[in-house]
Amino acid sequence: MPTPRKGARLGKDPAHQRLMLANLAASLFEAEHIVTTVTKAKVLRPYEEHLITKAKRGTIHDRRRVISILHDKQATHKLFSEIGPRYSSRPGGYLRILKMGPRPGDHAPMARIELV
């Protein structure tokens, strides 16, 4: 049997990564852009696009699933009331990653991830 692939864990265990992505997603939905490392932005993009697709459908089940993922009712409300309807005619590609310069402290490559 082949070894299962875990994918990038960002140096953390899976539970911590899940919570970290949920916090990044909630912050992105509230501010509509955030600055983070390039690696976190690349991991966050498919996670966010899946949530926006759920918001486009807008059913009660989708809303409950997103609340259980994000743990933030205000961000979920903004996602379903403003962001989801905004992308109702767009088939995908809701986020843009813009690379910035390195972070001053440790020279980690930084990126700005924003809604298109």
Side-chain angles (χ1 to χ4, degrees), residues 48-68:
E48 288 275 339
E49 291 190 353
H50 186 66
L51 295 176
I52 293 172
T53 303
K54 286 182 182 288
K56 281 172 50 176
R57 287 185 295 208
T59 63
I60 296 295
H61 178 69
D62 289 329
R63 185 179 293 263
R64 288 177 179 163
R65 288 288 299 150
V66 170
I67 287 174
S68 71

PDB file of all heavy atoms in Angstrom, residues 48-68:
ATOM      1  N   GLU A  48     -10.617  28.827   1.110  1.00  0.00           N
ATOM      2  CA  GLU A  48     -11.520  29.976   1.002  1.00  0.00           C
ATOM      3  C   GLU A  48     -12.479  29.824  -0.172  1.00  0.00           C
ATOM      4  O   GLU A  48     -13.654  30.152  -0.056  1.00  0.00           O
ATOM      5  CB  GLU A  48     -10.712  31.262   0.785  1.00  0.00           C
ATOM      6  CG  GLU A  48      -9.969  31.726   1.976  1.00  0.00           C
ATOM      7  CD  GLU A  48     -10.831  32.554   2.877  1.00  0.00           C
ATOM      8  OE1 GLU A  48     -11.849  33.085   2.428  1.00  0.00           O
ATOM      9  OE2 GLU A  48     -10.472  32.672   4.042  1.00  0.00           O
ATOM     10  N   GLU A  49     -11.979  29.380  -1.300  1.00  0.00           N
ATOM     11  CA  GLU A  49     -12.831  29.275  -2.481  1.00  0.00           C
ATOM     12  C   GLU A  49     -13.936  28.243  -2.268  1.00  0.00           C
ATOM     13  O   GLU A  49     -15.044  28.418  -2.760  1.00  0.00           O
ATOM     14  CB  GLU A  49     -11.992  28.959  -3.713  1.00  0.00           C
ATOM     15  CG  GLU A  49     -11.114  30.134  -4.090  1.00  0.00           C
ATOM     16  CD  GLU A  49     -10.430  29.993  -5.424  1.00  0.00           C
ATOM     17  OE1 GLU A  49     -10.515  28.908  -6.032  1.00  0.00           O
ATOM     18  OE2 GLU A  49      -9.816  30.979  -5.848  1.00  0.00           O
ATOM     19  N   HIS A  50     -13.651  27.212  -1.507  1.00  0.00           N
ATOM     20  CA  HIS A  50     -14.679  26.224  -1.187  1.00  0.00           C
ATOM     21  C   HIS A  50     -15.778  26.858  -0.325  1.00  0.00           C
ATOM     22  O   HIS A  50     -16.972  26.612  -0.535  1.00  0.00           O
ATOM     23  CB  HIS A  50     -14.032  25.043  -0.470  1.00  0.00           C
ATOM     24  CG  HIS A  50     -14.949  23.903  -0.221  1.00  0.00           C
ATOM     25  ND1 HIS A  50     -15.485  23.144  -1.242  1.00  0.00           N
ATOM     26  CD2 HIS A  50     -15.447  23.400   0.921  1.00  0.00           C
ATOM     27  CE1 HIS A  50     -16.265  22.214  -0.718  1.00  0.00           C
ATOM     28  NE2 HIS A  50     -16.266  22.357   0.593  1.00  0.00           N
ATOM     29  N   LEU A  51     -15.387  27.710   0.631  1.00  0.00           N
ATOM     30  CA  LEU A  51     -16.371  28.379   1.486  1.00  0.00           C
ATOM     31  C   LEU A  51     -17.209  29.374   0.686  1.00  0.00           C
ATOM     32  O   LEU A  51     -18.421  29.503   0.905  1.00  0.00           O
ATOM     33  CB  LEU A  51     -15.671  29.079   2.655  1.00  0.00           C
ATOM     34  CG  LEU A  51     -14.963  28.175   3.659  1.00  0.00           C
ATOM     35  CD1 LEU A  51     -14.243  29.012   4.692  1.00  0.00           C
ATOM     36  CD2 LEU A  51     -15.935  27.229   4.321  1.00  0.00           C
ATOM     37  N   ILE A  52     -16.587  30.091  -0.238  1.00  0.00           N
ATOM     38  CA  ILE A  52     -17.326  31.051  -1.053  1.00  0.00           C
ATOM     39  C   ILE A  52     -18.313  30.332  -1.959  1.00  0.00           C
ATOM     40  O   ILE A  52     -19.435  30.798  -2.181  1.00  0.00           O
ATOM     41  CB  ILE A  52     -16.361  31.946  -1.853  1.00  0.00           C
ATOM     42  CG1 ILE A  52     -15.568  32.841  -0.899  1.00  0.00           C
ATOM     43  CG2 ILE A  52     -17.120  32.809  -2.858  1.00  0.00           C
ATOM     44  CD1 ILE A  52     -14.467  33.633  -1.547  1.00  0.00           C
ATOM     45  N   THR A  53     -17.937  29.167  -2.467  1.00  0.00           N
ATOM     46  CA  THR A  53     -18.850  28.378  -3.287  1.00  0.00           C
ATOM     47  C   THR A  53     -20.065  27.950  -2.471  1.00  0.00           C
ATOM     48  O   THR A  53     -21.198  27.966  -2.966  1.00  0.00           O
ATOM     49  CB  THR A  53     -18.131  27.147  -3.866  1.00  0.00           C
ATOM     50  OG1 THR A  53     -17.003  27.599  -4.617  1.00  0.00           O
ATOM     51  CG2 THR A  53     -19.039  26.347  -4.758  1.00  0.00           C
ATOM     52  N   LYS A  54     -19.857  27.577  -1.219  1.00  0.00           N
ATOM     53  CA  LYS A  54     -20.985  27.242  -0.346  1.00  0.00           C
ATOM     54  C   LYS A  54     -21.869  28.471  -0.130  1.00  0.00           C
ATOM     55  O   LYS A  54     -23.087  28.369  -0.096  1.00  0.00           O
ATOM     56  CB  LYS A  54     -20.493  26.718   1.001  1.00  0.00           C
ATOM     57  CG  LYS A  54     -19.953  25.315   0.950  1.00  0.00           C
ATOM     58  CD  LYS A  54     -19.535  24.884   2.344  1.00  0.00           C
ATOM     59  CE  LYS A  54     -18.936  23.512   2.332  1.00  0.00           C
ATOM     60  NZ  LYS A  54     -19.896  22.455   2.119  1.00  0.00           N
ATOM     61  N   ALA A  55     -21.263  29.644   0.002  1.00  0.00           N
ATOM     62  CA  ALA A  55     -22.032  30.873   0.221  1.00  0.00           C
ATOM     63  C   ALA A  55     -22.829  31.250  -1.019  1.00  0.00           C
ATOM     64  O   ALA A  55     -23.896  31.858  -0.908  1.00  0.00           O
ATOM     65  CB  ALA A  55     -21.104  32.012   0.613  1.00  0.00           C
ATOM     66  N   LYS A  56     -22.345  30.911  -2.206  1.00  0.00           N
ATOM     67  CA  LYS A  56     -23.093  31.198  -3.434  1.00  0.00           C
ATOM     68  C   LYS A  56     -24.394  30.419  -3.459  1.00  0.00           C
ATOM     69  O   LYS A  56     -25.415  30.935  -3.901  1.00  0.00           O
ATOM     70  CB  LYS A  56     -22.253  30.845  -4.659  1.00  0.00           C
ATOM     71  CG  LYS A  56     -21.227  31.879  -4.999  1.00  0.00           C
ATOM     72  CD  LYS A  56     -20.291  31.438  -6.088  1.00  0.00           C
ATOM     73  CE  LYS A  56     -20.970  30.901  -7.316  1.00  0.00           C
ATOM     74  NZ  LYS A  56     -20.015  30.561  -8.387  1.00  0.00           N
ATOM     75  N   ARG A  57     -24.367  29.156  -2.993  1.00  0.00           N
ATOM     76  CA  ARG A  57     -25.602  28.369  -2.955  1.00  0.00           C
ATOM     77  C   ARG A  57     -26.543  28.922  -1.897  1.00  0.00           C
ATOM     78  O   ARG A  57     -27.735  29.034  -2.139  1.00  0.00           O
ATOM     79  CB  ARG A  57     -25.278  26.904  -2.682  1.00  0.00           C
ATOM     80  CG  ARG A  57     -24.666  26.217  -3.874  1.00  0.00           C
ATOM     81  CD  ARG A  57     -24.473  24.778  -3.612  1.00  0.00           C
ATOM     82  NE  ARG A  57     -23.492  24.612  -2.540  1.00  0.00           N
ATOM     83  CZ  ARG A  57     -22.706  23.566  -2.406  1.00  0.00           C
ATOM     84  NH1 ARG A  57     -22.787  22.578  -3.253  1.00  0.00           N
ATOM     85  NH2 ARG A  57     -21.836  23.482  -1.435  1.00  0.00           N
ATOM     86  N   GLY A  58     -26.016  29.213  -0.714  1.00  0.00           N
ATOM     87  CA  GLY A  58     -26.777  29.921   0.305  1.00  0.00           C
ATOM     88  C   GLY A  58     -27.844  29.135   1.032  1.00  0.00           C
ATOM     89  O   GLY A  58     -28.747  29.738   1.606  1.00  0.00           O
ATOM     90  N   THR A  59     -27.780  27.815   1.065  1.00  0.00           N
ATOM     91  CA  THR A  59     -28.795  27.049   1.775  1.00  0.00           C
ATOM     92  C   THR A  59     -28.510  27.055   3.279  1.00  0.00           C
ATOM     93  O   THR A  59     -27.422  27.417   3.717  1.00  0.00           O
ATOM     94  CB  THR A  59     -28.829  25.590   1.273  1.00  0.00           C
ATOM     95  OG1 THR A  59     -27.576  24.978   1.571  1.00  0.00           O
ATOM     96  CG2 THR A  59     -29.079  25.538  -0.221  1.00  0.00           C
ATOM     97  N   ILE A  60     -29.504  26.655   4.049  1.00  0.00           N
ATOM     98  CA  ILE A  60     -29.345  26.586   5.500  1.00  0.00           C
ATOM     99  C   ILE A  60     -28.262  25.573   5.865  1.00  0.00           C
ATOM    100  O   ILE A  60     -27.456  25.812   6.767  1.00  0.00           O
ATOM    101  CB  ILE A  60     -30.673  26.208   6.177  1.00  0.00           C
ATOM    102  CG1 ILE A  60     -31.712  27.296   5.946  1.00  0.00           C
ATOM    103  CG2 ILE A  60     -30.496  25.970   7.659  1.00  0.00           C
ATOM    104  CD1 ILE A  60     -31.368  28.610   6.595  1.00  0.00           C
ATOM    105  N   HIS A  61     -28.238  24.455   5.155  1.00  0.00           N
ATOM    106  CA  HIS A  61     -27.221  23.442   5.432  1.00  0.00           C
ATOM    107  C   HIS A  61     -25.820  23.997   5.190  1.00  0.00           C
ATOM    108  O   HIS A  61     -24.906  23.773   6.002  1.00  0.00           O
ATOM    109  CB  HIS A  61     -27.462  22.207   4.564  1.00  0.00           C
ATOM    110  CG  HIS A  61     -26.434  21.133   4.757  1.00  0.00           C
ATOM    111  ND1 HIS A  61     -26.327  20.405   5.916  1.00  0.00           N
ATOM    112  CD2 HIS A  61     -25.450  20.687   3.939  1.00  0.00           C
ATOM    113  CE1 HIS A  61     -25.323  19.544   5.803  1.00  0.00           C
ATOM    114  NE2 HIS A  61     -24.779  19.698   4.608  1.00  0.00           N
ATOM    115  N   ASP A  62     -25.632  24.732   4.075  1.00  0.00           N
ATOM    116  CA  ASP A  62     -24.333  25.326   3.789  1.00  0.00           C
ATOM    117  C   ASP A  62     -23.952  26.338   4.856  1.00  0.00           C
ATOM    118  O   ASP A  62     -22.793  26.400   5.280  1.00  0.00           O
ATOM    119  CB  ASP A  62     -24.341  25.997   2.415  1.00  0.00           C
ATOM    120  CG  ASP A  62     -24.371  24.984   1.288  1.00  0.00           C
ATOM    121  OD1 ASP A  62     -23.825  23.894   1.466  1.00  0.00           O
ATOM    122  OD2 ASP A  62     -24.956  25.297   0.227  1.00  0.00           O
ATOM    123  N   ARG A  63     -24.905  27.127   5.316  1.00  0.00           N
ATOM    124  CA  ARG A  63     -24.626  28.122   6.361  1.00  0.00           C
ATOM    125  C   ARG A  63     -24.180  27.432   7.652  1.00  0.00           C
ATOM    126  O   ARG A  63     -23.213  27.859   8.293  1.00  0.00           O
ATOM    127  CB  ARG A  63     -25.857  28.979   6.616  1.00  0.00           C
ATOM    128  CG  ARG A  63     -25.622  30.100   7.593  1.00  0.00           C
ATOM    129  CD  ARG A  63     -26.872  30.929   7.776  1.00  0.00           C
ATOM    130  NE  ARG A  63     -27.227  31.657   6.582  1.00  0.00           N
ATOM    131  CZ  ARG A  63     -26.910  32.937   6.347  1.00  0.00           C
ATOM    132  NH1 ARG A  63     -26.255  33.605   7.245  1.00  0.00           N
ATOM    133  NH2 ARG A  63     -27.273  33.516   5.228  1.00  0.00           N
ATOM    134  N   ARG A  64     -24.840  26.362   8.009  1.00  0.00           N
ATOM    135  CA  ARG A  64     -24.466  25.644   9.232  1.00  0.00           C
ATOM    136  C   ARG A  64     -23.101  24.985   9.101  1.00  0.00           C
ATOM    137  O   ARG A  64     -22.322  24.933  10.052  1.00  0.00           O
ATOM    138  CB  ARG A  64     -25.529  24.604   9.571  1.00  0.00           C
ATOM    139  CG  ARG A  64     -26.794  25.238  10.083  1.00  0.00           C
ATOM    140  CD  ARG A  64     -27.868  24.220  10.340  1.00  0.00           C
ATOM    141  NE  ARG A  64     -29.067  24.875  10.865  1.00  0.00           N
ATOM    142  CZ  ARG A  64     -30.256  24.332  10.883  1.00  0.00           C
ATOM    143  NH1 ARG A  64     -30.444  23.104  10.408  1.00  0.00           N
ATOM    144  NH2 ARG A  64     -31.283  24.981  11.380  1.00  0.00           N
ATOM    145  N   ARG A  65     -22.795  24.465   7.919  1.00  0.00           N
ATOM    146  CA  ARG A  65     -21.478  23.870   7.694  1.00  0.00           C
ATOM    147  C   ARG A  65     -20.375  24.913   7.813  1.00  0.00           C
ATOM    148  O   ARG A  65     -19.338  24.664   8.413  1.00  0.00           O
ATOM    149  CB  ARG A  65     -21.417  23.215   6.309  1.00  0.00           C
ATOM    150  CG  ARG A  65     -22.205  21.957   6.167  1.00  0.00           C
ATOM    151  CD  ARG A  65     -21.581  20.799   6.903  1.00  0.00           C
ATOM    152  NE  ARG A  65     -20.270  20.537   6.360  1.00  0.00           N
ATOM    153  CZ  ARG A  65     -19.250  20.036   7.060  1.00  0.00           C
ATOM    154  NH1 ARG A  65     -19.393  19.748   8.315  1.00  0.00           N
ATOM    155  NH2 ARG A  65     -18.084  19.836   6.485  1.00  0.00           N
ATOM    156  N   VAL A  66     -20.605  26.106   7.251  1.00  0.00           N
ATOM    157  CA  VAL A  66     -19.589  27.159   7.305  1.00  0.00           C
ATOM    158  C   VAL A  66     -19.411  27.650   8.741  1.00  0.00           C
ATOM    159  O   VAL A  66     -18.280  27.888   9.174  1.00  0.00           O
ATOM    160  CB  VAL A  66     -19.950  28.310   6.340  1.00  0.00           C
ATOM    161  CG1 VAL A  66     -19.054  29.503   6.551  1.00  0.00           C
ATOM    162  CG2 VAL A  66     -19.857  27.832   4.906  1.00  0.00           C
ATOM    163  N   ILE A  67     -20.482  27.770   9.500  1.00  0.00           N
ATOM    164  CA  ILE A  67     -20.360  28.176  10.903  1.00  0.00           C
ATOM    165  C   ILE A  67     -19.565  27.130  11.678  1.00  0.00           C
ATOM    166  O   ILE A  67     -18.726  27.475  12.525  1.00  0.00           O
ATOM    167  CB  ILE A  67     -21.748  28.401  11.538  1.00  0.00           C
ATOM    168  CG1 ILE A  67     -22.359  29.691  10.999  1.00  0.00           C
ATOM    169  CG2 ILE A  67     -21.648  28.482  13.057  1.00  0.00           C
ATOM    170  CD1 ILE A  67     -23.775  29.929  11.438  1.00  0.00           C
ATOM    171  N   SER A  68     -19.780  25.853  11.382  1.00  0.00           N
ATOM    172  CA  SER A  68     -19.031  24.817  12.089  1.00  0.00           C
ATOM    173  C   SER A  68     -17.550  24.814  11.690  1.00  0.00           C
ATOM    174  O   SER A  68     -16.702  24.399  12.471  1.00  0.00           O
ATOM    175  CB  SER A  68     -19.638  23.443  11.824  1.00  0.00           C
ATOM    176  OG  SER A  68     -19.386  23.026  10.505  1.00  0.00           O
TER     177      SER A  68
END
